[in-house]
């Protein structure tokens, strides 16, 4: 009985790992990132309502330095559509579509930090 319970837990854990792998654009996930994502999954109260979308007029009011980092393989949000919309509304925005990234972007941390340091 205990052995069967362990097998079910092990299968569930492998399924969760596959889900996070898919969410991350089918890219390898650093062990610390995977642990962090699992912790969020256990503790976070997920949004149940639709994500609010700012109007074009509201977005056009943004005058501060603006950057967008999105993964081309994001299965949760429409990255390409978001990038085109923001780029069209804010000509000063820096748009970064990371070809191999999914919803979480762990490969361009240095680029993100450099942008934040330059614009702070």
């Amino acid at each position: 009985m205990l052995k069967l319970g362990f097998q079910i837990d092990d299968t569930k854990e492998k399924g969760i790992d596959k889900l996070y792998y898919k969410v991350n654009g089918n890219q390898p996930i650093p062990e610390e990132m995977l642990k962090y994502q699992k912790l969020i999954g256990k503790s976070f109260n997920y949004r149940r309502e639709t994500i609010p979308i700012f109007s074009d007029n509201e977005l056009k009011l943004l005058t501060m330095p603006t950057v967008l980092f999105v993964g081309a393989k994001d299965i949760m949000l429409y990255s390409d559509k978001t990038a085109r919309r923001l780029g069209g509304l804010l000509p000063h925005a820096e748009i970064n579509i990371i070809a191999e990234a999914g919803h979480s972007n762990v490969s361009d941390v240095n680029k993100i930090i450099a942008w934040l340091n330059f614009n702070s």
Side-chain angles (χ1 to χ4, degrees):
M1 186 82 168
L2 289 175
K3 187 175 182 181
L4 178 61
F6 176 77
Q7 290 173 339
I8 291 171
D9 289 344
D10 190 45
T11 302
K12 180 180 177 186
E13 189 71 20
K14 287 180 183 177
I16 290 169
D17 289 355
K18 285 181 182 181
L19 173 64
Y20 285 118
Y21 181 77
K22 181 82 171 164
V23 167
N24 286 292
N26 296 322
Q27 297 296 310
I29 306 165
E31 186 63 29
E32 287 303 311
M33 179 73 171
L34 183 59
K35 287 180 186 177
Y36 182 67
Q37 288 180 333
K38 287 179 179 180
L39 179 63
I40 291 170
K42 285 182 180 178
S43 307
F44 185 71
N45 290 324
Y46 291 95
R47 180 184 295 269
R48 298 193 194 300
E49 68 277 357
T50 303
I51 296 173
I53 298 176
F54 293 102
S55 72
D56 289 357
N57 289 335
E58 289 171 318
L59 289 173
K60 287 178 185 178
L61 294 174
L62 300 176
T63 59
M64 76 287 271
T66 306
V67 67
L68 175 67
F69 289 94
V70 293
K73 295 183 177 181
D74 191 332
I75 63 170
M76 299 176 73
L77 300 173
Y78 299 107
S79 297
D80 186 53
K81 183 178 177 182
T82 300
R84 281 186 279 119
R85 180 171 178 239
L86 187 63
L89 295 171
L90 297 179
H92 67 278
E94 183 180 332
I95 307 297
N96 298 277
I97 302 174
I98 296 90
E100 296 301 317
H103 190 68
S104 298
N105 179 16
V106 296
S107 63
D108 285 317
V109 171
N110 291 333
K111 187 174 183 179
I112 295 167
I113 291 170
W115 190 90
L116 291 170
N117 286 334
F118 181 75
N119 290 285
S120 60

